[in-house]
Amino acid sequence: QKEVEQDPGPLSVPEGAIVSLNCTYSNSAFQYFMWYRQYSRKGPELLMYTYSSGNKEDGRFTAQVDKSSKYISLFIRDSQPSDSATYLCAILQGAQKLVFGQGTRLTINP
Amino acid sequence: GAVVSQHPSRVICKSGTSVKIECRSLDFQATTMFWYRQFPKQSLMLMATSNEGSKATYEQGVEKDKFLINHASLTLSTLTVTSAHPEDSSFYICSASGLFYEQYFGPGTRLTVT
């Protein structure tokens, strides 16, 4: 079983839709959770990071962590074509190492 | 804030030559920097972790003599691909660690070995 599982998609939705991106993880000791956005041929951009269970909101983005289910989510409201990218969840393993999901390719159609 | 730069953004070299890639944290000091490799449509693969002033820690399967990492200051780490071969062609990305374990990534370097 992989440490972090993420549906690679692709996921295609119409502009304005609410997008839900999800990851599951196997080790209950993981505590720090991050979401990155990566445009084609660019480095990943940190969107949000969370430490505990619950929700964290930043503009149109909401990160949700459910430690009891070992499930993390990223919601994008009022999705825009510029949100089209690959979204990677990442979990901190130990003190430094990030373990990434496979990435979900998202397309927002105008 | 938290900007990481990489240079060059793209490099083409001949087989057998060495290539150096620089990674800089522009507006913060990074005790720890990371080097990743990414193949098309795949996730990032951690190659090594470098701490300022000490030897890098390489992931299993990564040849330390082939991928030389130097982290000479709190804002600069370099990756040198020695005696590059076509199979080393890839997208190399560095990152720098922030205050709360989050990592900030550079824009990446596309290496093509002919």
Side-chain angles (χ1 to χ4, degrees):
Chain A
Q1 182 187 7
K2 289 185 179 178
E3 292 179 297
V4 181
E5 297 270 10
Q6 183 177 8
D7 186 341
L11 179 62
S12 182
V13 302
E15 182 176 357
I18 296 176
V19 177
S20 172
L21 304 165
N22 309 294
C23 290
T24 58
Y25 61 95
S26 58
N27 190 336
S28 58
F30 291 151
Q31 294 188 34
Y32 288 88
F33 309 91
M34 296 161 213
W35 283 97
Y36 287 87
R37 176 175 64 194
Q38 186 176 24
Y39 292 110
S40 182
R41 299 173 181 264
K42 301 290 184 184
E45 172 193 6
L46 179 64
L47 288 175
M48 301 183 75
Y49 63 92
T50 57
Y51 171 68
S52 59
S53 282
N55 293 353
K56 183 176 181 180
E57 191 172 315
D58 184 1
R60 296 185 295 110
F61 298 90
T62 299
Q64 189 175 78
V65 176
D66 182 347
K67 287 188 174 181
S68 62
S69 302
K70 290 182 276 187
Y71 196 84
I72 62 174
S73 301
L74 178 71
F75 299 97
I76 307 174
R77 290 186 301 280
D78 187 25
S79 55
Q80 305 293 312
S82 58
D83 295 328
S84 299
T86 296
Y87 289 80
L88 298 142
C89 63
I91 297 175
L92 184 71
Q93 181 184 60
Q96 295 181 324
K97 183 177 177 179
L98 283 183
V99 180
F100 285 89
Q102 299 95 308
T104 300
R105 285 194 295 140
L106 172 67
T107 301
I108 308 297
N109 300 303
Chain B
V3 178
V4 176
S5 70
Q6 263 183 262
H7 179 79
S9 58
R10 177 177 288 190
V11 58
I12 300 173
C13 70
K14 291 188 176 181
S15 187
T17 60
S18 294
V19 173
K20 180 184 281 190
I21 303 169
E22 289 188 351
C23 177
R24 294 181 185 272
S25 56
L26 296 185
D27 51 1
F28 67 106
Q29 293 184 328
T31 312
T32 306
M33 289 186 169
F34 306 83
W35 287 95
Y36 293 83
R37 186 173 180 175
Q38 188 175 36
F39 291 104
K41 299 186 178 181
Q42 293 189 25
S43 192
L44 290 84
M45 182 192 81
L46 179 64
M47 298 174 66
T49 301
S50 87
N51 291 293
E52 185 263 339
S54 62
K55 289 184 178 180
T57 302
Y58 290 81
E59 294 298 301
Q60 193 173 12
V62 178
E63 298 176 62
K64 61 180 180 182
D65 294 329
K66 181 166 189 62
F67 299 100
L68 300 178
I69 292 171
N70 183 274
H71 192 160
S73 76
L74 287 172
T75 59
L76 174 65
S77 176
T78 60
L79 168 68
T80 302
V81 183
T82 62
S83 186
H85 288 96
E87 57 266 29
D88 299 324
S89 298
S90 190
F91 192 49
Y92 292 88
I93 314 175
C94 71
S95 71
S97 186
L99 278 176
F100 298 104
Y101 308 108
E102 75 279 17
Q103 291 181 24
Y104 299 95
F105 285 83
T109 297
R110 185 159 303 281
L111 170 64
T112 303
V113 184
T114 60

